[in-house]
Amino acid sequence: MEKIEQLEPYNLKEIVITIPARNEEKTILKTLESIKTQEPIDKEFLVIVFCNGCSDSTVNLCNQFKSTNPTFPIEILISNEDFINNVGIARKILMDYASNKIKGSGWIIMTDADTVFHSSWLAAYNQLLKTNFDLICGIIIPQTDKLSTLQLKYIKLTRTYLEYVAKLQRELYAIDIEGGPDHSHNSGPNMAIRGKVYKKIGGIPPLACLEDIALYNRVLESGLRIKHSHSPISFTSARINSRVRGGFGDELRNVENCISKKVEGVQGLISKFEAMSEIKDRYQHRDYYDLEALSSKLCISSAKLKDLFSTYKTYQGINLQIDCYLQSNKDWNYKYPKIQLEKAIGQFDYYYRFSQTTISYNSERYIDRNL
């Protein structure tokens, strides 16, 4: 990997901002300018742009930015290696490199080359250095000015549903995220991890897509401290010509199908979160016996539950496995069939309008005939 006019020497920094870029000539300067114009902070930071396999003007534009801003702390890395053929591999190489630039318990901040930021974005992460959290998930606001009416509707429905799910989870199953999550955002355009934690968990998985979610899950499964903060705010492109198959851009391209996609309904989520809360309590009290009632509730054999308790070192790890298992569990999905996105939001609207507690609510009895 060749470095383009790397600034030397570099001292270790408490904040390193990482930006993978592949053919981003239309947006990369806006991203860099947005960082340049951030409110001043009392810590030194470094921006690392990894130009991977670029065939447009991305590299030249980054060099131009560096030349015209000689005091701006930036490294520009470039590679044309064939094996770096997806964003997960590129982000792993970039973040592994960045982890060796971090001082003490500083942040590696993840973002993208089609993203800009609120003026206090960097100051927010600077303030969060003083906390005891290991991973920070910031707010991500899609830039929707070029989307169709149907695509806008899909984004609104998806965000509404995910925020409802996060709210219900806060009420029923706190996972040591200040009772959170406080919002549903946990992806690459706006997330930060302690450098030491990044190395401890083995870094980010080099997946073809959703590598950011996989990193989040690694931190969660390890029982480390996560904060869903409303302070760092980013604005990222909602482009439909995305570079990643299976990502958000694919959803927007296929919005007619996605808008009718099926998701978990309220009653299934209530049962799942209540069961996860019980697992948390049992794990903390080392109560791994008499699992029949819990087994029946989750449609999982007691032997499977005992195996999970003995295999995973945290209750978060157990519950991540259960959540994954339930997605394809025939008995569970027969008991709690998935429903269309709009109907699920209707269930949540009804639930929060008329139900005082989760105990007094029965979605199977009331919701379907009232929508």
Side-chain angles (χ1 to χ4, degrees), residues 105-134:
S105 58
W107 294 126
I108 304 172
I109 299 178
M110 300 165 58
T111 191
D112 290 331
D114 61 344
T115 300
V116 294
F117 315 96
H118 188 278
S119 61
S120 64
W121 174 78
L122 190 55
Y125 278 119
N126 187 47
Q127 285 295 315
L128 289 162
L129 276 170
K130 305 171 185 177
T131 67
N132 65 349
F133 295 104
D134 299 301

Side-chain angles (χ1 to χ4, degrees), residues 278-302:
E278 181 179 342
I279 287 171
K280 173 184 175 182
D281 185 66
R282 283 175 173 270
Y283 190 88
Q284 292 176 332
H285 292 90
R286 298 295 187 264
D287 178 11
Y288 309 151
Y289 308 99
D290 191 21
L291 297 174
E292 293 302 324
L294 182 60
S295 169
S296 177
K297 186 170 188 174
L298 284 169
C299 304
I300 297 175
S301 71
S302 56

Side-chain angles (χ1 to χ4, degrees), residues 128-146:
L128 289 162
L129 276 170
K130 305 171 185 177
T131 67
N132 65 349
F133 295 104
D134 299 301
L135 181 90
I136 304 295
C137 301
I139 293 290
I140 303 168
I141 300 175
Q143 297 176 314
T144 59
D145 52 305
K146 295 182 180 180

Side-chain angles (χ1 to χ4, degrees), residues 25-26 28-29 57-66:
E25 62 183 6
K26 294 181 180 179
I28 186 63
L29 286 182
S57 300
T58 300
V59 173
N60 291 335
L61 290 171
C62 288
N63 272 327
Q64 177 185 336
F65 177 86
K66 175 186 171 301

Side-chain angles (χ1 to χ4, degrees), residues 150-164:
L150 193 58
Q151 288 164 342
L152 289 170
K153 178 182 179 181
Y154 173 68
I155 289 177
K156 181 179 179 181
L157 289 173
T158 301
R159 284 295 173 94
T160 299
Y161 175 76
L162 291 175
E163 294 305 321
Y164 267 142

Side-chain angles (χ1 to χ4, degrees), residues 237-344:
S237 169
R239 58 190 178 192
I240 60 174
N241 60 332
S242 62
R243 316 298 166 81
V244 181
R245 298 282 76 84
F248 188 54
D250 271 0
E251 291 185 39
L252 291 177
R253 274 195 302 274
N254 299 301
V255 69
E256 290 84 359
N257 296 326
C258 289
I259 212 158
S260 61
K261 72 178 182 181
K262 294 189 175 182
V263 296
E264 294 176 277
V266 170
Q267 190 60 34
L269 287 165
I270 289 173
S271 296
K272 182 174 72 174
F273 289 146
E274 287 178 342
M276 288 180 169
S277 182
E278 181 179 342
I279 287 171
K280 173 184 175 182
D281 185 66
R282 283 175 173 270
Y283 190 88
Q284 292 176 332
H285 292 90
R286 298 295 187 264
D287 178 11
Y288 309 151
Y289 308 99
D290 191 21
L291 297 174
E292 293 302 324
L294 182 60
S295 169
S296 177
K297 186 170 188 174
L298 284 169
C299 304
I300 297 175
S301 71
S302 56
K304 174 73 172 178
L305 282 176
K306 288 179 182 178
D307 181 62
L308 289 172
F309 274 110
S310 63
T311 301
Y312 288 88
K313 296 180 180 180
T314 66
Y315 67 84
Q316 295 98 327
I318 295 171
N319 283 331
L320 274 174
Q321 292 302 312
I322 285 175
D323 195 29
C324 181
Y325 181 77
L326 292 181
Q327 298 304 312
S328 58
N329 183 299
K330 292 182 179 179
D331 292 335
W332 176 266
N333 286 289
Y334 179 79
K335 186 176 182 180
Y336 301 112
K338 291 183 178 178
I339 59 178
Q340 288 190 345
L341 183 59
E342 289 182 277
K343 186 175 182 181

